[in-house]
Amino acid sequence: MEEKPSASIKPYLDKLTLGVTRILETSPGVAEVTFVEKEPAERHTIISWEQKNSCILPEDLKNFYLMTDGFQMTWSVKTDDTPMPLGSMVINSVSKLCRLGGSPMYTLPNAPTLADLEDDTDEEGNGDKPAKPHFDSRSLIFELDPCNGNGKVCLVYKHAKPVVSPDTEIWFLDRALYWHFLTKTFTAYYRLLITHLGLPQWQYAFTSYGVSPQAKQWFNMYKPITINTALLSEEADSFVNKLDPNKSD
């Protein structure tokens, strides 16, 4: 599958990035904005994934994959005239949309799996707090973004028994293996990913303990950019609406 860094982004790719490349490229101190152009996923690849995992991809994520088989955009900042990688926005390709929970965490005999860590005393959802996913067979969990080792953003089917419910949510699994709810749909998550510019540890802004002091410095430095993303074009909005069949505004 062809993958190539794109210097001049084609019009539809500009919509795909919601125009944020232009915002970054004109921002002080930002260098080397790189977008890896990917071919659309084949429809049969998606069907094969669904059959293998016994579940149906949400319509907005399926539409996304039919435009681009994954997403990768990075940018650097200049420090002493040397570019330092900072922002990273990733959506795994269909082939890397792998299930979490079933396989051992270590390549040792009788090694524990994530399901072995399941704690039945975990709070179930109440009021505004949604019920947390389960590592065991009650939920199906797939990795959308490895977050550069800072955790994992996951596509979660919370009700896998007796049959898999098509309802999905996007959750963040931190390095201590605690769950944090992000969004109800992939489309909403995609907006968050782009508008947070892939800043280091940005997902921790949605946890009770927040981002680290170092990450907070980067947030403060690039907050003006994240505010500017509210000015994204109507064309970008219509692109996102195409992803989500339930959204027509």
Side-chain angles (χ1 to χ4, degrees), residues 7 13 76 96 142-143 212 216:
L13 294 175
S76 303
K96 291 184 178 176
F142 300 94
E143 182 185 300
S212 68
K216 197 172 285 185

Side-chain angles (χ1 to χ4, degrees), residues 49 53-55 98-103 114-115 118 120 122 124 130-142 154-165 167-169 171 179:
W49 184 94
N53 293 288
S54 303
C55 56
C98 298
R99 187 178 172 189
L100 294 187
S103 55
L114 286 171
E118 192 64 47
D120 283 329
D122 270 0
E124 286 302 313
K132 293 177 183 175
H134 294 283
F135 290 121
D136 58 24
S137 58
R138 285 174 286 180
S139 301
L140 286 178
I141 303 164
F142 300 94
C154 300
L155 173 71
V156 176
Y157 297 76
K158 281 199 298 194
H159 307 292
K161 288 189 169 185
V163 294
V164 180
S165 165
D167 299 328
T168 57
E169 293 173 345
W171 286 71
W179 286 109

Side-chain angles (χ1 to χ4, degrees), residues 80-100:
D80 300 325
D81 291 329
T82 305
M84 181 189 82
L86 185 67
S88 175
M89 293 167 252
V90 172
I91 301 288
N92 281 341
S93 63
V94 176
S95 64
K96 291 184 178 176
L97 191 61
C98 298
R99 187 178 172 189
L100 294 187

Side-chain angles (χ1 to χ4, degrees), residues 7-242:
S8 58
I9 289 189
K10 298 173 187 171
Y12 91 93
L13 294 175
D14 196 33
K15 293 179 190 178
L16 184 65
T17 60
L18 305 191
V20 83
T21 43
R22 285 169 293 147
I23 293 173
L24 282 168
E25 285 168 348
T26 56
S27 299
V30 173
E32 296 184 4
V33 180
T34 304
F35 177 79
V36 179
E37 189 178 335
K38 297 171 183 278
E39 295 293 319
E42 300 282 350
R43 196 171 287 274
H44 68 79
T45 304
I46 294 172
I47 293 170
S48 173
W49 184 94
E50 291 178 331
Q51 290 173 340
K52 174 188 170 187
N53 293 288
S54 303
C55 56
I56 303 294
L57 280 176
E59 204 65 28
D60 56 353
L61 181 54
K62 195 180 299 186
N63 289 342
F64 181 82
Y65 280 137
L66 289 171
M67 282 184 275
T68 174
D69 189 10
F71 182 86
Q72 184 180 342
M73 183 174 168
T74 57
W75 54 280
S76 303
V77 291
K78 282 181 185 168
T79 54
D80 300 325
D81 291 329
T82 305
M84 181 189 82
L86 185 67
S88 175
M89 293 167 252
V90 172
I91 301 288
N92 281 341
S93 63
V94 176
S95 64
K96 291 184 178 176
L97 191 61
C98 298
R99 187 178 172 189
L100 294 187
S103 55
M105 293 181 287
Y106 310 100
T107 54
L108 297 170
N110 303 318
T113 67
L114 286 171
D116 293 325
L117 302 178
E118 192 64 47
D119 182 2
D120 283 329
T121 62
D122 270 0
E123 291 179 24
E124 286 302 313
N126 51 56
D128 294 335
K129 288 180 84 175
K132 293 177 183 175
H134 294 283
F135 290 121
D136 58 24
S137 58
R138 285 174 286 180
S139 301
L140 286 178
I141 303 164
F142 300 94
E143 182 185 300
L144 271 176
D145 177 2
C147 304
N148 281 334
N150 289 314
K152 295 178 187 296
V153 171
C154 300
L155 173 71
V156 176
Y157 297 76
K158 281 199 298 194
H159 307 292
K161 288 189 169 185
V163 294
V164 180
S165 165
D167 299 328
T168 57
E169 293 173 345
I170 309 297
W171 286 71
F172 176 56
L173 180 66
D174 69 21
R175 291 184 64 176
L177 302 180
Y178 287 107
W179 286 109
H180 309 274
F181 176 76
L182 291 176
T183 62
K184 283 191 169 294
T185 66
F186 169 75
T187 305
Y189 172 72
Y190 183 69
R191 277 183 179 277
L192 281 184
L193 171 67
I194 298 293
T195 55
H196 283 82
L197 308 171
L199 283 164
Q201 304 174 27
W202 72 264
Q203 293 91 351
Y204 283 88
F206 295 85
T207 69
S208 58
Y209 26 89
V211 298
S212 68
Q214 183 183 8
K216 197 172 285 185
Q217 288 182 330
W218 292 119
F219 267 67
N220 290 338
M221 196 172 295
Y222 290 100
K223 190 182 288 181
I225 305 183
T226 60
I227 291 169
N228 278 342
T229 54
L231 306 174
L232 297 173
S233 68
E234 288 181 19
E235 285 187 38
D237 275 347
S238 69
F239 167 79
V240 173
N241 290 343
K242 282 179 192 171

